[in-house]
Amino acid sequence: MRHPAWLALILVALIGCAHRAPRPVSIDSRTVTPSPEAAHTAPSPASLEARVAADTLAASLAIRRCAGRRLLAEQESTVASATQLLAETRDALAINDLARAESLARQARQLTRSLGCP
């Protein structure tokens, strides 16, 4: 062994630190960072309506771009599904279910992103 004194000091330092228990900290004195979910407040009806309008418009435009074109079976199915989602969005808006309308409109928009009609 080259440096037994250094080795002994390191071992003493490690063993000396290992036996000490952490100081208890009062729950009241702890810093709490709110989670992103907790910090998120419910969206206002106006912001929900704006998102529904934007997603509905984008999905409708994508469907119109594909109108009259020869589509693959997968694209036809996507257009049909998106059209159904837009109809369900209108139904949800008719009963003032903004949260459902927003979800349906978002789904329709996401579906139409894969259409690829110029």
Side-chain angles (χ1 to χ4, degrees), residues 53-117:
D55 289 343
T56 301
L57 179 63
S60 297
L61 290 174
I63 290 170
R64 277 190 226 140
R65 280 193 304 269
C66 292
R69 296 182 183 269
R70 180 168 287 180
L71 301 176
L72 300 172
E74 181 180 311
Q75 290 173 313
E76 288 177 2
S77 174
T78 300
V79 167
S81 295
T83 302
Q84 178 63 37
L85 286 167
L86 290 175
E88 291 176 29
T89 300
R90 283 190 296 278
D91 294 343
L93 287 172
I95 60 171
N96 205 28
D97 188 351
L98 291 177
R100 185 163 190 272
E102 185 218 5
S103 175
L104 292 165
R106 184 176 353 111
Q107 290 175 45
R109 184 177 191 171
Q110 289 171 342
L111 265 178
T112 57
R113 286 182 179 160
S114 66
L115 284 174
C117 296

Side-chain angles (χ1 to χ4, degrees), residues 7-17:
L7 182 60
L9 284 174
I10 291 172
L11 286 174
V12 168
L14 290 174
I15 294 170
C17 293

Side-chain angles (χ1 to χ4, degrees), residues 15-40:
I15 294 170
C17 293
H19 78 279
R20 294 183 194 168
R23 280 189 10 212
V25 177
S26 167
I27 290 176
D28 297 329
S29 67
R30 293 180 188 167
T31 304
V32 178
T33 305
S35 68
E37 295 84 19
H40 181 68

